[in-house]
Amino acid sequence: MNKKITVIKGDGIGPEIVTQAQKVLDTVAKKYDHTFEYTDILMGGCSIDACGVPLTDEAVATAKAADAVLLGAIGGNTSTSPWYKLAPNLRPEAGLLKIRKELGLFANLRPAVLFDQLRNACPLNDEIIGEGFDMMIMRELTGGLYFGARETKVVDGLETAVDTLTYNEKEIERIAKRGFDIAMKRRKKVTSVDKANVLDSSRLWRKIVNKVAENYPEVELEHMLVDNCAMQLVKDPGQFDVILTENMFGDILSDEAAMVTGSIGMLASASLNDTKFGLYEPSHGSAPDIAGQDKANPIATILSAAMMLRYSFDMDAEADAVEAAVKKVLEEGYRTVDIMSDGMTCVGCEKMGDLICERI
Ligand code: IPM
Ligand code: MG
């Protein structure tokens, strides 16, 4: 098969981790007789420096014309980088929000799996880890607080900021359906997370999720308040299969879920619209403090590329091969510094990429 991939290397560790993921894709292409054509676009701080905006309309058009987008990470140090002196709509993150919105990527899948080999890197104790965990966070990505009206103004002489959290029933229904569809292919359990004891948007969320659930009688549905969910994730992560939640709660819970898997450097993600098109990126940020030092963990980006093979290209065998290669490398004791533990072999970003390619 011939597929067009738009590549966004981005800022910080972005270029080095994406390079490793492309190396893995090239290895897959060679072995399985595919052609992947890459076109680079700029987004984030590098685009601000080159074009004055975090994402140009031409770059969006290039992304739209591809079969999928592979993204590293964007942004810099929010306290020291000059990018954060710009107006909010000109900062690096605005590019990411723009591409999510323009491409209609409303469904964000973040699988949080504890690899057996990484039990030592998991901050939870053995009793809590039990037989391990494997959950899918399904985060709504184009609504809620991220895209609501916001302003900062002076009210009664006081500087006052407003952010609005809006969801309509259609937006909730389509993400809920995706959540239930994924659950049907997994352990058939959905935990819908909201704050229905306080927020109207959460009460609507719960109502619509209940309605969608009627079409999935085989799926067990439970509702959980977000504060309780944050606690349950570290108390008994094994209870979760699919966590279905709105944009902001999903942002926060997915970082937490990532950490209990041992490192945020392991968590992949896919952002999908209602076609086969998707944007694939690690869930972590651009880590400017370690950029360019060959210290970054490329695994989350490599696993994101595997998700691209699976969800956008229907290349299941190829995706399996990449995931198996990652497991094999971990089994053999290779670790990047973020997941390093006693007796293991510490390797850099590039070496980790090579080791994975060799095992595909
Ligand atoms: C993520 C990130 C982004 C988000 C930031 C960089 C805007 O934290 O993808 O989780 O909040 O969605
Ligand atoms: Mg986040």
Side-chain angles (χ1 to χ4, degrees), residues 168-194:
N168 67 41
E169 53 185 313
K170 276 237 148 37
E171 290 171 311
I172 302 169
E173 190 188 354
R174 65 181 181 179
I175 187 75
K177 277 190 182 149
R178 277 294 174 91
F180 281 92
D181 284 341
I182 294 269
M184 282 299 288
K185 294 191 183 155
R186 297 172 47 98
R187 299 193 306 278
K188 300 194 171 69
K189 179 174 173 191
V190 169
T191 305
S192 174
V193 175
D194 62 36

Side-chain angles (χ1 to χ4, degrees), residues 110 139 146 251 254-255 283:
R110 297 187 166 182
R139 167 187 176 194
Y146 279 66
D251 178 45
S254 60
D255 267 30
S283 295

Side-chain angles (χ1 to χ4, degrees), residues 92-150:
E93 285 73 10
L96 184 59
L97 299 188
K98 176 172 169 176
I99 202 164
R100 287 174 179 169
K101 196 67 169 182
E102 294 260 342
L103 301 179
L105 306 171
F106 67 88
N108 182 224
L109 279 66
R110 297 187 166 182
V113 180
L114 181 69
F115 286 88
D116 244 4
Q117 302 79 8
L118 291 188
R119 282 182 84 103
N120 281 338
C122 174
L124 306 177
N125 70 32
D126 235 35
E127 201 183 322
I128 292 176
I129 299 174
E131 300 192 342
F133 45 86
D134 174 353
M135 61 189 117
M136 180 67 88
I137 300 187
M138 176 63 93
R139 167 187 176 194
E140 201 291 326
L141 202 60
T142 52
L145 279 169
Y146 279 66
F147 294 95
R150 62 176 106 258

Side-chain angles (χ1 to χ4, degrees), residues 69-353:
V69 179
L70 178 66
L71 164 64
I74 53 115
N77 183 316
T78 50
S79 323
T80 56
S81 163
W83 298 327
Y84 295 93
K85 299 216 159 63
L86 298 167
N89 64 337
L90 291 176
R91 292 180 194 172
E93 285 73 10
L96 184 59
L97 299 188
K98 176 172 169 176
I99 202 164
R100 287 174 179 169
K101 196 67 169 182
E102 294 260 342
L103 301 179
L105 306 171
F106 67 88
N108 182 224
L109 279 66
R110 297 187 166 182
V113 180
L114 181 69
F115 286 88
D116 244 4
Q117 302 79 8
L118 291 188
R119 282 182 84 103
N120 281 338
C122 174
L124 306 177
N125 70 32
D126 235 35
E127 201 183 322
I128 292 176
I129 299 174
E131 300 192 342
F133 45 86
D134 174 353
M135 61 189 117
M136 180 67 88
I137 300 187
M138 176 63 93
R139 167 187 176 194
E140 201 291 326
L141 202 60
T142 52
L145 279 169
Y146 279 66
F147 294 95
R150 62 176 106 258
E151 75 176 315
T152 304
K153 58 186 174 186
V154 176
V155 178
D156 298 335
L158 298 174
E159 193 175 16
T160 305
V162 189
D163 294 286
T164 47
L165 201 181
T166 308
Y167 272 107
N168 67 41
E169 53 185 313
K170 276 237 148 37
E171 290 171 311
I172 302 169
E173 190 188 354
R174 65 181 181 179
I175 187 75
K177 277 190 182 149
R178 277 294 174 91
F180 281 92
D181 284 341
I182 294 269
M184 282 299 288
K185 294 191 183 155
R186 297 172 47 98
R187 299 193 306 278
K188 300 194 171 69
K189 179 174 173 191
V190 169
T191 305
S192 174
V193 175
D194 62 36
K195 188 71 185 172
N197 54 348
V198 177
L199 303 175
D200 262 20
S201 54
S202 284
R203 287 187 272 269
L204 181 63
W205 182 276
R206 211 175 259 219
K207 179 174 149 188
I208 304 297
V209 170
N210 279 330
K211 218 157 91 188
V212 170
E214 288 170 11
N215 298 321
Y216 298 85
E218 283 175 59
V219 177
E220 178 197 343
L221 167 67
E222 69 174 351
H223 298 283
M224 192 178 277
L225 296 173
V226 62
D227 46 352
N228 184 27
C229 183
M231 180 178 76
Q232 295 296 333
L233 273 171
V234 289
K235 195 172 160 231
D236 177 17
Q239 70 183 286
F240 295 109
D241 179 16
V242 174
I243 292 180
L244 170 65
T245 193
E246 64 90 48
N247 204 346
M248 177 70 125
F249 297 158
D251 178 45
I252 298 167
L253 294 176
S254 60
D255 267 30
E256 190 188 0
M259 198 53 231
V260 303
T261 68
S263 164
I264 193 159
M266 300 294 297
L267 196 75
S269 96
S271 304
L272 309 174
N273 62 17
D274 43 23
T275 69
K276 282 267 157 203
F277 183 89
L279 177 145
Y280 299 83
E281 59 172 320
S283 295
H284 59 72
S286 61
D289 53 319
I290 58 161
Q293 298 170 36
D294 197 37
K295 280 188 188 159
N297 183 350
I299 293 180
T301 318
I302 290 169
L303 291 174
S304 301
M307 290 183 90
M308 170 187 292
L309 297 171
R310 194 183 300 287
Y311 291 105
S312 283
F313 303 164
D314 286 321
M315 296 179 184
D316 284 343
E318 291 84 336
D320 289 346
V322 173
E323 288 166 5
V326 168
K327 279 200 185 123
K328 186 109 205 298
V329 165
L330 295 174
E331 250 157 44
E332 291 172 27
Y334 295 105
R335 302 284 187 272
T336 42
V337 64
D338 56 309
I339 49 174
M340 184 58 190
S341 59
D342 277 356
M344 301 293 137
T345 312
C346 194
V347 297
C349 180
E350 188 176 352
K351 178 76 183 169
M352 183 54 97

